[in-house]
């Protein structure tokens, strides 16, 4: 029997593709992991923004089967950066011509004086590819707020294809003909929230095989048993884990260097107001300035076309931070006004807060190497770790589904 730890996208997808004899253990009282939705008082909120960019035709067909076109919105992404008193189109490096003249010249000169491939860290890569001014005006302060760490601690390719690289010639061409394209220039979003995708996967799974409120506290690799918080022991032939990789190592009593593994936490506020606010039409805004406590604000109302403002607001914290959401709410509301997003006439109708821990893992050369070694070691014990946190990586939800599909195919041979 396969035991699957975690009823998020990765765990459910593995069960869907593999079938056979399995049981899914989920520590929370509901399924979905971070891909959940709250629908309350007329608002639709996710655990932060989940916007799908389908690249795999089979996965798209699988997740969209039975969903009517009017249940989805197709969105051409519009995002900007709050930089001083301006809103600059994203990505910053392709829109430096929107800065004032002196700053534009600084960025342009530094860009053409940049170069070389002698860099190791994420921060060094930013300086080498974009120059001092672009790096220090946006790329370094924003990503420092996001990851809540010194960017020298991250691998130069920590964000992989998700980082909006641009060559010098492309940046210059953008001065006249804007092509602010990136890996996710458009996306689809369900009107009822991201949980719709989870529900689509659940259509292919026997619900009796899913056990919520089942927290795995230990793994006996010799006896091939998982131990639950209530003391129950379950035998497995194969163990598929989607929990954060370090927690799997702890539960399986696998020795590792804690210094290799780091991550941030993200505090998310979903806030609904009684009316629309200022005339911001973006789908989300980026905030590199330390003046604002948040690094990103998203507008559900602009995505869904609703008549009341509905926001998600994200704040980054160190992995060891103790976060009290109630203490942060007044500051968030104050900074939303400071940024010109809400005004004194708007009233909060409803809100919720969520702490994502981990949120973004810190990918370094040592973490890549150690994860690969430990996953190989665990596979010899019939333990497989998958998913964004199970593989300790930066990826999309579709990537999670593809990884689960590949492992299910391998284990079915």
């Amino acid at each position: 029997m396969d035991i699957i730890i975690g009823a998020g996208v990765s765990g459910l997808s593995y069960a869907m593709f593999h079938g056979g004899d399995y049981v899914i253990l989920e520590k929370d009282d509901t399924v979905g992991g971070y891909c959940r939705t709250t629908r309350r008082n007329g608002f639709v909120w996710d655990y932060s923004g989940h916007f799908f960019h389908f690249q795999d035709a089979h996965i798209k067909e699988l997740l969209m089967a039975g969903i009517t076109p009017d249940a989805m919105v197709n969105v051409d992404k519009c995002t900007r950066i709050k930089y001083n008193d301006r809103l600059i189109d994203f990505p910053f490096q392709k829109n430096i011509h929107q800065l004032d003249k002196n700053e534009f010249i600084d960025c342009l000169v530094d860009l053409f004086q940049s170069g070389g491939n002698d860099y190791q860290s994420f921060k060094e890569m930013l300086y080498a590819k974009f120059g001092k001014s672009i790096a220090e005006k946006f790329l370094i302060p924003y990503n420092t707020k996001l990851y809540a760490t010194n960017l020298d601690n991250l691998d130069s390719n920590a964000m992989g294809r998700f980082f909006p690289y641009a060559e010098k010639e492309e940046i210059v061409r953008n001065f006249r003909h804007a092509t602010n394209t990136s890996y996710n220039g458009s996306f689809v979003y369900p009107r009822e929230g991201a949980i719709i995708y989870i529900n689509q996967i659940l259509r292919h799974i026997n619900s009796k095989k899913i056990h919520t409120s089942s927290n795995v506290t230990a793994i006996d690799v010799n006896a091939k048993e998982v131990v639950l918080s209530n003391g129950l022991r379950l035998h497995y032939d194969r163990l598929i884990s989607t929990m954060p990789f370090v927690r799997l190592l702890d539960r399986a009593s696998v020795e590792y260097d804690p210094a290799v593994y780091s991550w941030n936490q993200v505090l998310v506020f979903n806030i609904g107001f009684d009316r629309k606010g200022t005339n911001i039409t973006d789908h989300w805004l980026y905030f590199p300035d330390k003046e604002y406590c948040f690094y990103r604000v998203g507008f559900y109302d602009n995505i869904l076309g609703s008549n009341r403002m509905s926001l998600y607001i994200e704040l980054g914290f160190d992995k060891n931070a103790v976060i009290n959401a109630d203490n942060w709410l007044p500051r968030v509301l104050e900074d939303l006004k400071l940024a010109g997003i809400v005004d004194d006439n708007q009233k909060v109708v409803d809100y919720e807060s969520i702490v994502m821990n981990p949120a973004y893992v810190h990918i370094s050369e040592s973490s890549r190497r150690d994860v690969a070694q430990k996953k190989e070691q665990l596979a010899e014990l019939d333990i497989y770790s998958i998913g964004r946190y199970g593989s300790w990586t930066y990826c999309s939800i579709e990537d999670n589904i593809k990884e689960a599909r590949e492992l299910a195919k391998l284990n079915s041979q």
Side-chain angles (χ1 to χ4, degrees):
M1 180 178 71
D2 285 2
I3 288 183
I4 304 167
I5 301 177
V9 167
S10 300
L12 293 175
S13 295
Y14 178 85
M16 172 180 64
F17 289 120
H18 186 261
D21 187 17
Y22 67 85
V23 63
I24 302 174
L25 305 177
E26 169 56 51
K27 67 179 178 63
D28 292 334
D29 59 3
T30 188
V31 303
Y34 284 165
C35 196
R36 298 187 203 171
T37 301
T38 298
R39 292 194 290 267
R40 193 170 67 207
N41 291 326
F43 298 106
V44 176
W45 297 323
D46 289 333
Y47 272 40
S48 194
H50 289 302
F51 308 117
F52 277 69
H53 325 282
F54 291 113
Q55 298 178 350
D56 185 295
H58 176 248
I59 291 176
K60 180 178 181 179
E61 181 181 355
L62 189 68
L63 293 185
M64 297 296 292
I67 298 179
T68 59
D70 61 354
M72 307 292 295
V73 291
N74 295 281
V75 181
D76 291 326
K77 188 182 72 173
C78 177
T79 59
R80 290 186 289 177
I81 300 155
K82 176 69 172 175
Y83 181 78
N84 295 333
D85 60 347
R86 300 181 181 217
L87 288 174
I88 306 295
D89 287 333
F90 182 87
F92 185 89
Q93 55 268 31
K94 291 181 68 173
N95 293 288
I96 54 176
H97 58 287
Q98 297 177 13
L99 300 170
D100 67 45
K101 181 179 178 181
N102 289 335
E103 287 196 290
F104 170 46
I105 292 173
D106 287 342
C107 289
L108 193 60
V109 170
D110 288 349
L111 174 66
F112 277 87
Q113 289 179 345
S114 66
N117 297 310
D118 185 22
Y119 51 80
Q120 300 299 319
S121 74
F122 191 70
K123 182 185 286 187
E124 290 174 353
M125 179 275 292
L126 297 178
Y127 278 118
K129 286 191 172 294
F130 302 105
K132 182 176 186 293
S133 293
I134 292 176
E136 294 183 356
K137 291 179 187 300
F138 175 71
L139 295 174
I140 291 175
Y142 174 76
N143 284 290
T144 298
K145 286 180 73 175
L146 167 65
Y147 284 105
T149 191
N150 185 328
L151 300 185
D152 278 324
N153 297 330
L154 302 183
D155 186 271
S156 61
N157 195 36
M159 293 179 66
R161 76 178 193 276
F162 300 95
F163 184 84
Y165 289 103
E167 299 298 328
K168 294 181 176 67
E169 295 77 12
E170 185 182 2
I171 291 172
V172 172
R173 284 196 299 270
N174 208 58
F175 296 170
R176 178 167 292 176
H177 302 292
T179 56
N180 297 318
T181 56
S182 61
Y183 77 95
N184 60 346
S186 62
F187 60 89
V188 294
Y189 185 73
R191 295 188 184 279
E192 296 298 314
I195 193 64
I196 295 301
Y197 293 122
I198 295 293
N199 292 340
Q200 286 291 96
I201 297 173
L202 288 172
R203 293 171 57 239
H204 302 275
I205 296 174
N206 183 345
S207 61
K208 294 180 180 179
K209 295 186 176 184
I210 303 175
H211 301 272
T212 56
S213 301
S214 298
N215 185 24
V216 174
T217 58
I219 301 168
D220 186 333
V221 298
N222 296 315
K224 301 185 77 169
E225 292 180 337
V226 298
V227 183
L228 304 185
S229 56
N230 61 5
L232 184 65
R233 300 176 72 97
L234 299 175
H235 179 79
Y236 62 85
D237 296 305
R238 274 189 302 251
L239 182 65
I240 315 300
S241 173
T242 67
M243 70 171 64
F245 194 64
V246 288
R247 295 178 190 168
L248 171 63
L249 297 179
D250 288 335
R251 283 157 176 74
S253 299
V254 175
E255 291 187 3
Y256 65 96
D257 181 1
V260 170
Y261 295 92
S262 183
W263 61 92
N264 77 339
Q265 301 180 73
V266 168
L267 170 61
V268 181
F269 283 100
N270 290 319
I271 307 179
F273 295 85
D274 62 343
R275 66 189 72 184
K276 284 279 196 178
T278 50
N279 296 320
I280 295 175
T281 58
D282 300 82
H283 301 120
W284 56 88
L285 296 174
Y286 300 92
F287 292 84
D289 198 321
K290 292 181 180 179
E291 181 179 21
Y292 305 102
C293 62
F294 37 73
Y295 62 82
R296 184 167 66 167
V297 175
F299 298 77
Y300 283 118
D301 52 308
N302 290 342
I303 294 169
L304 295 172
S306 52
N307 59 8
R308 295 184 297 171
M309 179 175 275
S310 178
L311 306 177
Y312 68 85
I313 302 105
E314 299 170 320
L315 293 74
F317 294 87
D318 178 82
K319 68 174 183 177
N320 296 316
V322 177
I323 303 172
N324 186 316
D326 291 338
N327 290 344
W328 279 99
L329 181 60
R331 170 71 188 277
V332 166
L333 293 173
E334 177 184 332
D335 285 1
L336 288 172
K337 291 181 181 179
L338 181 65
I341 294 174
V342 302
D343 58 44
D344 291 330
N345 295 320
Q346 289 175 277
K347 306 299 181 186
V348 174
V349 174
D350 196 4
Y351 77 94
E352 67 177 2
S353 63
I354 302 149
V355 175
M356 302 173 70
N357 183 20
Y360 294 91
V361 303
H362 296 159
I363 301 172
S364 65
E365 182 180 348
S366 57
S367 73
R368 290 182 194 273
R369 183 171 55 250
D370 203 61
V371 168
Q373 292 173 348
K374 296 292 192 298
K375 287 183 75 170
E376 185 176 341
Q377 176 184 342
L378 289 167
E380 293 177 356
L381 300 169
D382 294 314
I383 299 175
Y384 303 89
S385 187
I386 61 172
R388 183 171 191 164
Y389 301 109
S391 290
W392 207 252
T393 190
Y394 191 118
C395 64
S396 70
I397 293 175
E398 186 179 55
D399 291 333
N400 296 150
I401 298 172
K402 290 168 69 175
E403 184 184 24
R405 181 179 62 187
E406 292 305 306
L407 181 62
K409 181 179 179 181
L410 178 65
N411 287 343
S412 297
Q413 294 175 351

